């Protein structure tokens, strides 16, 4: 396989055969795509729950924003040709791991690793692969955490395991990646050497910014401990608290009497 979108045609094919093949794949793709859309929804729900917990219980939110996407059927099939894998749904599942994607942008470097741990430690998620491009950047300067995860999507016929790629990066890394993407497509992949060198330098500058901002934040907030929010307490008056205390006290006394009677 050369990496081109064209492969050598060694087997004669009639128009009827090609039409039958295309129709079969078209009939299978809608359900296939639906499973990946549901998987994205599942991951977004998990991340949303984490965000809500951080905001309401820890008074700190490490997740700045979240985006998602599912590759188009055309994009998937083009990648199948580039990879040279068999055009069956089973082989596509195994070989194309970025059909469904979630991108989580965090405030600081330590937040990116913390969020990765929280997501990958959930019991229904199977970790297939983790690539740390923060500690080991790509040659062009790209930095991010990539996790290839498998999670169940529950359909009427039972659970279906679906692969989702999760990217976690800082705000500075996300800004750099967005700019690099625009430059890459502007030059159709052939970025001039001087721009490529400048991009690597910009990636290093973004890392310095990340670490400097994290040190500033720690200097200001380093001594503070996160604690549950008191927002709910303000809606409960003193009288209600006293009544709840009496119920709790009575319940405790009753339990002790029952335990004493049982042991007599």
């Amino acid at each position: 396989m050369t990496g081109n979108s064209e492969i050598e045609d060694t087997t004669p094919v009639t128009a009827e055969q090609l039409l039958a093949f295309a129709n079969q794949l078209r009939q299978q793709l809608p359900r296939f795509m639906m499973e990946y859309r549901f998987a994205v929804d599942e991951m977004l729900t998990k991340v949303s729950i984490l965000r809500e917990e951080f905001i309401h219980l820890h008074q700190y939110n490490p997740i700045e924003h979240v985006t998602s996407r599912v590759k188009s059927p055309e994009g998937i099939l083009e990648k199948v040709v580039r990879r040279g894998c068999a055009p069956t749904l089973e082989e596509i599942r195994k070989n194309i791991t970025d059909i469904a994607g979630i991108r989580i942008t965090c405030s600081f470097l330590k937040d990116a690793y913390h969020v990765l741990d929280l997501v990958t430690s959930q019991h229904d998620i199977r970790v297939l692969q983790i690539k740390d491009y923060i500690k080991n950047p790509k040659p062009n300067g790209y930095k991010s955490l990539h996790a290839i995860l498998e999670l169940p999507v529950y359909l009427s016929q039972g659970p279906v395991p679906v692969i989702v790629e999760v990217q976690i990066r800082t705000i500075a890394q996300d800004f750099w990646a967005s700019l690099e993407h625009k430059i890459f497509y502007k030059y159709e992949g052939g970025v001039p050497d001087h721009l490529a060198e400048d991009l690597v330098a910009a990636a290093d500058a973004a890392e310095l910014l990340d670490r400097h901002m994290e040190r500033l934040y720690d200097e200001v907030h380093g001594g503070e401990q996160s604690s549950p929010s008191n927002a709910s307490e303000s809606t409960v008056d003193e009288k209600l608290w006293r009544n709840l205390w009496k119920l709790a006290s009575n319940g405790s006394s009753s339990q002790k009497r029952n335990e004493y009677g049982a042991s007599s």
Side-chain angles (χ1 to χ4, degrees):
M1 189 68 192
T2 63
N4 296 326
S5 60
E6 296 291 337
I7 58 177
E8 186 179 354
D9 186 5
T10 58
T11 304
V13 59
T14 65
E16 290 77 9
Q17 290 174 320
L18 190 60
L19 182 61
F21 170 76
N23 285 336
Q24 181 183 16
L25 207 52
R26 284 196 189 100
Q27 291 172 4
Q28 295 172 336
L29 275 175
R31 179 182 176 88
F32 181 77
M33 298 300 300
M34 179 180 65
E35 293 168 1
Y36 283 92
R37 288 196 300 272
F38 290 162
V40 165
D41 290 343
E42 289 280 352
M43 281 303 307
L44 288 175
T45 298
K46 290 177 179 295
V47 176
S48 177
I49 289 171
L50 289 175
R51 290 184 76 177
E52 289 294 314
E53 180 190 355
F54 276 112
I55 291 171
H56 294 291
L57 298 184
H58 303 292
Q59 299 180 340
Y60 172 71
N61 179 25
I63 301 173
E64 292 289 338
H65 58 266
V66 183
T67 57
S68 65
R69 65 104 180 95
V70 177
K71 277 185 180 293
S72 67
E74 182 181 7
I76 295 171
L77 297 178
E78 287 176 351
K79 194 159 190 176
V80 165
V81 173
R82 290 198 301 272
R83 290 282 182 86
C85 72
T88 65
L89 299 189
E90 182 180 357
E91 288 299 310
I92 292 173
R93 287 185 192 280
K94 287 192 284 187
N95 289 281
I96 313 297
T97 58
D98 63 344
I99 294 174
I102 302 288
R103 181 175 299 151
I104 303 172
T105 305
C106 296
S107 305
F108 303 113
L109 289 168
K110 63 182 178 182
D111 292 333
Y113 285 99
H114 185 40
V115 170
L116 176 67
D117 289 340
L118 291 174
V119 171
T120 57
S121 63
Q122 298 195 21
H123 72 90
D124 59 343
I125 287 182
R126 179 182 171 216
V127 179
L128 302 181
Q129 187 181 51
I130 293 179
K131 293 182 179 180
D132 189 341
Y133 292 118
I134 294 178
K135 292 181 179 177
N136 303 290
K138 291 185 178 182
N140 66 347
Y142 176 84
K143 296 180 177 73
S144 183
L145 297 173
H146 286 201
I148 306 299
L149 310 177
E150 184 183 83
L151 68 158
V153 171
Y154 293 91
L155 302 175
S156 59
Q157 297 178 346
V160 176
V162 181
I163 295 175
V164 178
E165 181 187 66
V166 178
Q167 298 178 2
I168 308 174
R169 58 180 65 154
T170 66
I171 299 171
Q173 290 166 353
D174 190 55
F175 172 74
W176 181 94
S178 177
L179 178 61
E180 191 274 343
H181 182 78
K182 291 180 174 66
I183 293 174
F184 184 87
Y185 276 94
K186 169 69 175 178
Y187 289 96
E188 298 181 348
V191 180
D193 290 342
H194 73 282
L195 285 181
E197 292 172 1
D198 285 345
L199 280 170
V200 174
D204 293 337
E207 182 177 4
L208 289 175
L209 176 63
D210 267 332
R211 298 192 183 281
H212 184 65
M213 295 303 293
E214 190 168 308
R215 282 197 300 271
L216 287 175
Y217 182 87
D218 288 342
E219 184 176 340
V220 175
H221 300 278
E224 298 180 4
Q225 298 293 325
S226 62
S227 58
S229 172
N230 294 324
S232 62
E233 294 181 9
S234 63
T235 63
V236 181
D237 61 23
E238 183 179 350
K239 181 179 179 181
L240 182 53
W241 280 123
R242 289 182 180 277
N243 288 333
L244 290 170
W245 168 255
K246 290 178 183 178
L247 288 172
S249 300
N250 292 337
S252 177
S253 300
S254 299
Q255 182 179 3
K256 290 180 179 178
R257 287 196 298 270
N258 292 336
E259 290 176 351
Y260 176 78
S263 62
S264 298

